[in-house]
Each structure stands twice: as C-alpha cells, then as structure tokens.
Amino acid sequence: MPPGKPLQESPRPPVIALLDSGVQRHQWLPGNGRPPFVVDAEDHGWSPPMPPPDPEKHHDEDPPYGTHWGHATFIAGLIRQAAPSARVLSMRVMDGAGKVSERNVTSALHWLATTTTTGEAKADIVLMAFGRPEKPGDHDLENLRALIKKLADLKVPIVASAGNDGSDLPVYPAAFATEPELAIGSRPSVVSVGALATPTERAPYSNFGPWVHRWGKGTDVLSIMPLTSKGAGLQSHTDLLAAGPPPQPGDGYAWWSGTSFAAATYAGELAARLHSGQALPEPAAGS
C-alpha cells in the first residue's frame, strides 16, 4: 500500500455514508482530524434495530472471522485512496459473514433522509456494496424504493455494487438505476457499478446488463484489512497444511476482488468531484 495521503481539512468535507460491516481501526487510516476520517453514525444518534455482532468481540465467535469481517474497512481504504478529502460515516448493517439486515438498511436510510444532523453525519453520497434479486410480493424492496426516492428528493446520490453472480438478473438496490422516477433531475439517483478484470474486459464474476451503468477496477484490488497472518511462520508444516495460518486482529493488507470494490472507488471519485466543485458525471450505458 502507498502511504496514506494527509487528511485534508475542510469546513465541509464530502461525507460518504457506508452501509456495511462497520469500519474498524487501522493504522493506515488517519486517527485525527476535525472531523475524523471515520465517523460512527451510532455516535450521532442512529440506533440500528438489530445490532450486528460487534466486530471487536470476535474471540467467542465460531468461526472467529467471517468472509466479510473486514469488508467495510477494506472499502474505507479504497475511499481514502480515491478521495483524501472525504469522510466516511460508518453504519453497520452487515455481520461478519456478509449477511445484511434489511431492517437495519431501511432504518439507516430513513435516518439519513430525515435526520437534522449536520457536519460529519450529513451524508452527501450513500454507498451500498451489497444486493439481492427481487422476490414475489417484495414489500421490503418497496420500502427500499420509497426511501431511495426520499434521498433522491434531497439530491443525495446512491452508489450500489452490481453483484458477483456473473448474471444479467437485476440485483437491488443497484437495479434501481433504471427507474426514472428515482432520478435527480436528468441523472439517475442510483449509480450501479460492475467490475472489470482489465481496463477493457468485464470480470467474469460481475453481474451485467443494461441496468449496470458504470464499470471500474474490481479485480485484485489492494487495500487495508484489520487482520494479519502474523506468527504463521512459527507453525509447523503439518499444522499449516491442516488448518492454514490463523488470522489475528491487526493492521494488515489484502488483495480482494468484487463489484463492491469497484463501487467503493467510484463513490470516492464522486466525493472528490464534490469537493472540487465539479459536476457529477452522467452514467455510461450498460453493457
């Protein structure tokens, strides 16, 4: 990882509300600044109806670390690389295994759309790096659509990952990008982002279709991870073959692939444009 750029002070830095697994401490992220780089929404009055497992209380879990335990922290590192001027408003709606609480998502979006909080807890962009297909009689999806409309009326864009199923089946919230009633003026309020394997080729795992508006690097992405394999070299060869190196909490780094990370970088680029006063780009045609 390159050294983190100095935290840029600003009277009103752009804020990305990250609905994910919760950003954890890491030495690469700046720990000071007014406001700090990472702000926890729960410190500003948001109370998730179903709190996910605390990422710091991992010692009694089985298994101790799920697939998405460091997902939000990894994303925060990508945002930091793309937008040194931005801040992240962390809202935990996902557990360490990647399971998303839809009640927490709707609660978070309602809070963002109705709170009178200003400053570091006032979102300029919402990032949701998760999704699912529509189900028959999907009332949860209707609630989500209504809340996205409220944010669109407030001119708050939403960046959503397209998903990693290698399918053209629409996934929400990303597929809301095709609904004109959710637009901000002439621009869709939801920007759906798929992943590239090379600068010109779609990653095989990335979902695709006319509902995917943007494409970005999502394969073999490098960022921060609140886990390390420190001490693995002290194990015997037999132990490593049996179980692999045990992860430990710490200031680690990782390679990861997925549409989540293409979406994270794009959200950071949007935040950088907001900070510089540039107009937001029009979405590209899906493919």
Side-chain angles (χ1 to χ4, degrees), residues 143-159:
N143 292 336
L144 184 59
R145 180 182 282 107
L147 289 166
I148 289 175
K149 179 65 168 65
K150 286 187 177 181
L151 289 166
D153 291 343
L154 295 171
K155 296 181 170 55
V156 177
I158 292 172
V159 178

Side-chain angles (χ1 to χ4, degrees), residues 55-121:
E56 299 296 333
K57 296 178 181 177
H58 51 77
H59 299 292
D60 297 328
E61 295 178 11
D62 184 23
Y65 306 102
T67 56
H68 287 59
W69 191 80
H71 195 252
T73 311
F74 192 94
I75 285 175
L78 296 176
I79 292 172
R80 182 97 183 99
Q81 292 178 64
S85 60
R87 301 297 189 270
V88 171
L89 178 66
S90 180
M91 308 184 80
R92 281 193 295 142
V93 301
M94 178 190 298
D95 66 16
K99 183 178 180 180
V100 174
S101 165
E102 296 196 11
R103 285 185 61 191
N104 285 10
V105 172
T106 55
S107 170
L109 294 177
H110 176 76
W111 187 83
L112 291 171
T114 59
T115 183
T116 56
T117 303
T118 58
E120 60 259 38

Side-chain angles (χ1 to χ4, degrees), residues 1 8 11 15 22 37 40 61 79 83 88 174-176 183 205 250-251 254 268 284:
M1 285 283 286
Q8 295 181 10
V15 176
F37 175 66
D40 193 328
E61 295 178 11
I79 292 172
V88 171
F176 284 132
Y205 57 80
D251 299 312

Side-chain angles (χ1 to χ4, degrees), residues 103-218:
R103 285 185 61 191
N104 285 10
V105 172
T106 55
S107 170
L109 294 177
H110 176 76
W111 187 83
L112 291 171
T114 59
T115 183
T116 56
T117 303
T118 58
E120 60 259 38
K122 185 69 172 179
D124 299 290
I125 298 167
V126 176
L127 174 57
M128 292 190 281
F130 53 82
R132 63 168 179 79
E134 186 174 10
K135 296 177 289 190
D138 206 330
H139 298 296
D140 288 334
L141 211 58
E142 287 300 319
N143 292 336
L144 184 59
R145 180 182 282 107
L147 289 166
I148 289 175
K149 179 65 168 65
K150 286 187 177 181
L151 289 166
D153 291 343
L154 295 171
K155 296 181 170 55
V156 177
I158 292 172
V159 178
S161 58
N164 304 322
D165 303 308
S167 167
D168 63 353
L169 180 67
V171 167
Y172 294 88
F176 284 132
T178 62
E179 300 190 10
E181 61 271 21
L182 299 180
I184 300 175
S186 62
R187 183 182 297 109
S189 65
V190 178
V191 181
S192 50
V193 185
L196 296 174
T198 73
T200 59
E201 293 178 301
R202 175 177 63 85
Y205 57 80
S206 178
N207 289 344
F208 58 94
W211 55 277
V212 182
H213 282 174
R214 288 280 169 181
W215 297 89
K217 181 180 179 182

Side-chain angles (χ1 to χ4, degrees), residues 248-265:
Q248 301 292 330
D251 299 312
Y253 303 86
W255 297 97
W256 210 340
S257 297
T259 60
S260 293
F261 315 126
T265 298

